Amino acid sequence: MKETIEIRWHGRGGQGAKTAALLLADVAFETGKYVQGFPEYGPERMGAPITAYNRISDQVIRIHSNIYDPDFVVVVDETLLEAVDVTKGLNPDGAIVINTSRKIAEIEPLLKGYKGKIYLVDARRISVAALGKYFPNTPMLAAIVKVCGVMEEERFVMEMQKSFEHKFASKPEVIEGNMKALRMTLAEVG
């Protein structure tokens, strides 16, 4: 793994991109990594574009700024492909992970000539199957962990189980559904 992995998330308010970035920081921290997880947004409301970031490293992170040249990009809402330059600064040796049910031939023209790896995840299908509702952040979180290899999958699943048990202690059905969504995504991405 590279010394520091930098991830930029693109989503819309209310879709959980910020929450996913913060969860990734939490679970990476539990595996002994140095982490940053933070959003960038102003007074936008639900549905407005937001950006969130992660830095994950084996070394102390001394930089405190937005991420301009990410190794990986996660696009939680594919409509942003036409509204935001999601590949701006994206390392061609990294990858982009996009929530979509479309085929790669339909997506590539929207990526402004990006030549790196492209992963497509149908987070709607996965979350509806696992949770009964559309919550794209859990599948997209699992997808980026699989793609960037920041931690072992088994450890990721174990730490997410603990996190969900803490967060949803009074809603065990939510825990089960989110864990199913994680496992489904990990099995499909690759």
Side-chain angles (χ1 to χ4, degrees), residues 112-169:
K112 302 194 183 319
Y114 177 67
K115 300 293 183 206
K117 293 179 183 169
I118 302 166
Y119 294 86
L120 306 180
V121 177
D122 190 345
R124 178 179 298 277
R125 180 185 53 76
I126 292 168
S127 66
V128 169
L131 292 155
K133 293 182 180 177
Y134 180 45
F135 295 110
N137 60 338
T138 299
M140 297 309 288
L141 174 57
I144 193 58
V145 167
K146 175 92 177 228
V147 167
C148 75
V150 71
M151 66 187 79
E152 293 178 5
E153 286 179 38
E154 289 179 27
R155 181 73 189 268
F156 169 67
V157 170
M158 181 184 78
E159 294 300 336
M160 287 303 299
Q161 176 80 36
K162 288 193 277 188
S163 179
F164 287 147
E165 286 172 356
H166 176 73
K167 186 174 182 177
F168 301 117

Side-chain angles (χ1 to χ4, degrees), residues 52-88:
Y53 305 94
N54 285 112
R55 282 192 182 92
I56 303 169
S57 181
D58 290 325
Q59 308 296 319
V60 174
I61 301 170
R62 301 205 184 278
I63 186 169
H64 297 281
S65 68
N66 290 347
I67 295 171
Y68 301 103
D69 298 309
D71 301 297
F72 300 93
V73 166
V74 181
V75 181
V76 180
D77 187 319
E78 71 177 305
T79 65
L80 292 171
L81 296 174
E82 297 179 35
V84 176
D85 184 0
V86 298
T87 60
K88 185 176 183 180

Side-chain angles (χ1 to χ4, degrees), residues 169-186:
S170 63
K171 301 178 188 176
E173 69 283 357
V174 174
I175 299 167
E176 185 179 320
N178 274 288
M179 293 306 297
K180 183 177 179 183
L182 289 175
R183 287 188 183 99
M184 286 175 67
T185 306
L186 290 169

